[in-house]
Amino acid sequence: MAEATANGAAAVAAGGDRKAAFLQIYVQLKEDLLRDPAFDYTDESREWIEKMLDYNVPGGKLNRGISVIDSYKLLKQGNQLTDTEFFLGGALGWCIEWLQAYFLVLDDIMDDSVTRRGQPCWFRVPKVGLIAANDGILLRNHIPRILKKYFKGKPYYVDLLDLFNEVEFQTASGQLLDLITTHEGEKSLSKYNITVYNRIVQYKTAYYSFYLPVACALLLAGENLDNFLQVKDILIQMGTYFQIQDDYLDCFGHPDVIGKIGTDIQDFKCSWLVVQALDHTSESQLKILSDNYGKTDPTCVEKVKSLYKDLNLEKLFAEYERASYEKLISSIESQPSKEVQLVLKPFLEKIYKRQK
């Protein structure tokens, strides 16, 4: 069954529709999990899991997952992947999408968010509620089930397990930093600075969104990750740039375009915008920020957004984006491996000046 899916997906990809090919692999993996012999499913539980997976896993842009396949192909010097190679790359890509879904389901509960990817957050769906917390745990546990089925016996199997476990630990620890900085104790903007911000972003976002897909491709290609520490550093820098874009779009992006209603101001988030505002405010502007940041009242939110505009943070972001792009391109082009350069450049091009 898996081999048939691999053949079909590879054929679709050869026709130019990578996303359709990638989604074919999702269907196979979902079927595997719904028939996992380790658990005796009832019809009701199988129906719940299928609905939960379809709602939370394949609904995003899928850039992280598809990039595993793309990177793997580039590391093979652009040679066409075999059916099996394509399927294995896709399976690892979906493991990252499963990891993303697990983080987002729980993150939305913690942040009391309203929408995600243009639809209500999973825990806000009628009859779901806090069952979503257990669904998040299930999503996380699906990853080693996929890895065991398709990678056990491969020379890099243990490295894959270590990689996913380490990146999950780093991301959860970054989430903790975010939560205790944002939510713990009295709300105080004095805790917010660029050093604190960079540490949160590095661990919460950069490792799983940027390093993990390339690391998976490197392992598939038979490489030792210890030989690619500079590549890791570049990807972490790219992840930081990505999160700063996210913070900018949370405030200045249109909800219909970005697929969610931004709540960083209401949630008292340690965002790049508030950190920059703290560095550029006068005493009277600081009072406006302190009096209104972290309040759910729409009037307070508008006062903060108005202050951001008065401080020209949109222009500051544009300058940051240009400088970051130039620095990253320079770092990428200094890499000795042309294949690695070809892997890294598409990551940067996908996110440069993105609108969602």
Side-chain angles (χ1 to χ4, degrees):
M1 182 72 163
E3 192 61 40
T5 302
N7 290 336
V12 173
D17 195 340
R18 293 175 309 146
K19 189 169 183 178
F22 189 56
L23 285 165
Q24 280 190 20
I25 296 172
Y26 165 75
V27 173
Q28 176 62 51
L29 298 177
K30 181 178 71 170
E31 288 302 310
D32 293 340
L33 292 164
L34 293 174
R35 286 163 177 74
D36 192 322
F39 180 67
D40 185 13
Y41 283 96
T42 63
D43 290 342
E44 186 180 19
S45 62
R46 184 178 282 111
E47 185 180 323
W48 180 281
I49 295 293
E50 181 165 22
K51 179 184 175 184
M52 183 270 289
L53 290 176
D54 287 344
Y55 196 93
N56 292 292
V57 177
K61 297 185 286 289
L62 307 181
N63 286 339
R64 293 172 184 84
I66 291 171
S67 65
V68 177
I69 298 171
D70 292 344
S71 299
Y72 185 22
K73 183 177 177 181
L74 290 166
L75 289 169
K76 285 173 59 78
Q77 300 181 327
N79 293 326
Q80 195 67 37
L81 299 178
T82 67
D83 293 334
T84 300
E85 287 170 339
F86 186 92
F87 183 84
L88 292 177
L92 285 185
W94 278 112
C95 284
I96 298 173
E97 296 295 335
W98 248 268
L99 189 70
Q100 160 87 336
Y102 151 56
F103 289 144
L104 296 185
V105 165
L106 297 184
D107 196 50
D108 286 342
I109 296 171
M110 288 180 261
D111 288 347
D112 200 30
S113 297
V114 178
T115 59
R116 169 72 65 182
R117 295 170 172 170
Q119 60 185 5
C121 297
W122 176 239
F123 80 99
R124 292 192 179 277
V125 172
K127 299 183 181 179
V128 176
L130 289 181
I131 296 174
N134 191 66
D135 288 336
I137 295 168
L138 282 169
L139 286 164
R140 185 261 175 267
N141 278 276
H142 286 162
I143 297 166
R145 305 306 295 169
I146 295 169
L147 294 177
K148 181 180 179 181
K149 181 171 178 65
Y150 290 107
F151 297 93
K152 190 174 181 181
K154 304 284 185 193
Y156 51 84
Y157 176 55
V158 173
D159 293 321
L160 275 177
L161 293 173
D162 283 346
L163 176 65
F164 274 90
N165 285 335
E166 183 169 290
V167 169
E168 182 195 355
F169 169 67
Q170 289 166 322
T171 308
S173 299
Q175 172 74 346
L176 174 66
L177 285 176
D178 189 15
L179 290 169
I180 62 177
T181 305
T182 302
H183 298 296
E184 184 66 22
E186 184 181 351
K187 288 183 176 180
S188 171
L189 289 172
S190 63
K191 297 186 288 184
Y192 292 176
N193 58 61
I194 197 64
T195 303
V196 169
Y197 175 82
N198 283 336
R199 186 178 294 118
I200 291 170
V201 169
Q202 175 181 338
Y203 288 103
K204 184 180 175 181
T205 302
Y207 279 102
Y208 92 90
S209 293
F210 286 83
Y211 174 61
L212 183 56
V214 174
C216 284
L218 286 166
L219 289 175
L220 282 168
E223 299 287 357
N224 183 335
L225 296 182
D226 291 339
N227 297 332
F228 293 89
L229 298 182
Q230 278 191 341
V231 171
K232 185 178 187 177
D233 288 342
I234 291 169
L235 289 161
I236 298 308
Q237 291 170 33
M238 217 181 287
T240 300
Y241 163 48
F242 177 86
Q243 184 58 50
I244 290 171
Q245 287 178 311
D246 226 39
D247 291 355
Y248 175 82
L249 292 170
D250 184 273
C251 178
F252 294 109
H254 195 285
D256 290 345
V257 177
I258 64 174
K260 63 179 180 180
I261 299 168
T263 60
D264 283 359
I265 293 171
Q266 297 93 313
D267 294 339
F268 201 74
K269 284 283 185 181
C270 182
S271 87
W272 185 82
L273 291 172
V274 77
V275 167
Q276 296 303 318
L278 288 167
D279 275 349
H280 292 85
T281 51
S282 65
E283 199 170 320
S284 60
Q285 288 172 324
L286 179 58
K287 182 168 180 4
I288 293 170
L289 189 60
S290 299
D291 288 348
N292 293 282
Y293 200 72
K295 306 281 176 63
T296 56
D297 183 343
T299 306
C300 295
V301 175
E302 280 310 309
K303 284 181 180 177
V304 174
K305 288 186 177 183
S306 178
L307 177 62
Y308 285 172
K309 287 178 180 175
D310 291 343
L311 293 170
N312 280 325
L313 293 192
E314 288 174 278
K315 182 183 177 187
L316 191 68
F317 170 76
E319 291 169 355
Y320 163 81
E321 184 163 49
R322 178 190 54 76
S324 292
Y325 180 81
E326 290 174 0
K327 181 182 176 185
L328 284 164
I329 280 291
S330 175
S331 297
I332 290 168
E333 290 180 346
S334 72
Q335 291 303 300
S337 165
K338 291 296 180 187
E339 288 76 31
V340 166
Q341 287 188 33
L342 289 170
V343 167
L344 295 175
K345 281 184 178 178
F347 269 82
L348 184 56
E349 298 303 335
K350 279 176 194 170
I351 63 172
Y352 183 52
K353 292 197 170 181
R354 71 189 176 97
Q355 298 300 310
K356 61 179 181 177

